[in-house]
Amino acid sequence: LIFAVPSILVLLQFGCSLSSVPPLKEPLLASKTPIDLKRFMGSWYVLGHIPVRLVKEHTASNAVETYTWNEAKQEMWVHYRFNENALDGKINDSYQRGWVFNKETSTEWRVSPKLPLLGYALSGFLKLPYIIVDCTKDYSTSIVGYPNRDYLWILSRSLLPDAKYEKLVRKSVAMGYNENLIRRVPHDSTAKSFPVPES
C-alpha cells in the first residue's frame, strides 16, 4: 500500500469507493474474539485483497505487511512493501502508524498513513479504521477488512495451497464481500514462512 495499508486507507477519508459492492445495512465489524496484539505483530504475506487502484495496489506482487509494536509509545508501526507489475518489478514501500481503538479485543485499530512531504503531520485527526475480522488461534492467517467492505486483505504467515486460500476467500464472502472483486496476489513460490512472535 504508495501512501497506504492492509496501508492505503488515506483515500478512504474522502469516501472514495472503488468497488461495486452494494451497501449493506450493517457495517462490517471487527472480531469479538480478543487477540494477543504482540503475537499479531511481525510480517504477513498479503495473499489476496480488494485493492486500492489509485495507489497501484492492483499491480502488487510479493506483497508483505510488517507490524512492529512500540511499547513506549503504545502504538504500532506498519510497513507495506510490494513489487509493481511483476515479481521482480519496482519496489513500492509505504508506512503507517496505528493505535488500538478497542482495547478489550485489540481487533479494531485506527491507522494514519505517512504522506509525501507531510509525513505524519496529519495523524492527529487522520485516523482511519482498520478492523481484524478473523484471526486463527495460532496466528497463521488473518483477514483484515474495512467497514463498508470496499477493501480487504487476506493475510498469512506463509504461502498457502489453493484449497486453504479458497477457504479464506469463502470466509470473506460469508462476511458480505464480493468474491469477484478479490484479487489473488502473485508471490515468489520460494518465499519462506514468517515466524509468529512470542507473546
Side-chain angles (χ1 to χ4, degrees):
L1 333 141
I2 289 179
F3 4 116
V5 177
S7 323
I8 326 176
L9 303 178
V10 63
L11 298 176
L12 306 186
Q13 66 171 316
F14 303 111
C16 181
S17 176
L18 302 180
S19 75
S20 59
V21 178
L24 300 178
K25 291 183 179 180
E26 298 296 332
L28 185 66
L29 299 177
S31 172
K32 294 180 180 179
T33 303
I35 64 167
D36 182 332
L37 190 62
K38 291 182 180 179
R39 295 201 73 200
F40 193 88
M41 298 294 103
S43 294
W44 299 80
Y45 291 107
V46 180
L47 298 186
H49 56 194
I50 297 179
V52 179
R53 298 182 64 87
L54 291 181
V55 294
K56 299 184 180 180
E57 196 190 8
H58 64 291
T59 72
S61 294
N62 299 323
V64 172
E65 186 131 85
T66 300
Y67 305 92
T68 303
W69 178 249
N70 185 319
E71 183 69 26
K73 294 187 176 182
Q74 290 292 295
E75 66 182 31
M76 63 207 76
W77 299 334
V78 185
H79 175 207
Y80 187 55
R81 166 174 282 199
F82 60 80
N83 294 91
E84 295 179 10
N85 299 308
L87 292 175
D88 59 352
K90 176 185 175 182
I91 295 292
N92 184 321
D93 285 301
S94 62
Y95 302 88
Q96 292 191 113
R97 296 165 64 191
W99 302 267
V100 177
F101 184 73
N102 184 336
K103 294 185 178 181
E104 291 184 4
T105 64
S106 296
T107 57
E108 185 175 358
W109 307 352
R110 292 295 181 266
V111 295
S112 182
K114 184 177 182 180
L115 302 174
L117 302 179
L118 296 175
Y120 291 115
L122 302 182
S123 63
F125 66 91
L126 178 57
K127 294 182 179 180
L128 304 163
Y130 177 105
I131 56 176
I132 299 167
V133 295
D134 184 77
C135 185
T136 53
K137 291 182 180 180
D138 63 358
Y139 295 82
S140 62
T141 66
S142 181
I143 300 173
V144 174
Y146 199 75
N148 66 4
R149 297 175 176 81
D150 275 351
Y151 304 95
L152 172 75
W153 294 272
I154 296 174
L155 309 179
S156 178
R157 301 289 188 178
S158 62
L159 303 188
L160 298 178
D162 291 347
K164 289 187 176 182
Y165 170 75
E166 290 300 329
K167 184 177 180 180
L168 295 173
V169 171
R170 289 195 298 272
K171 275 189 177 183
S172 303
V173 171
M175 297 175 195
Y177 277 99
N178 184 337
E179 183 174 359
N180 294 327
L181 298 176
I182 301 174
R183 171 183 180 263
R184 190 167 186 176
V185 178
H187 282 273
D188 183 339
S189 62
T190 65
K192 297 182 179 179
S193 300
F194 293 122
V196 176
E198 296 294 330
S199 177

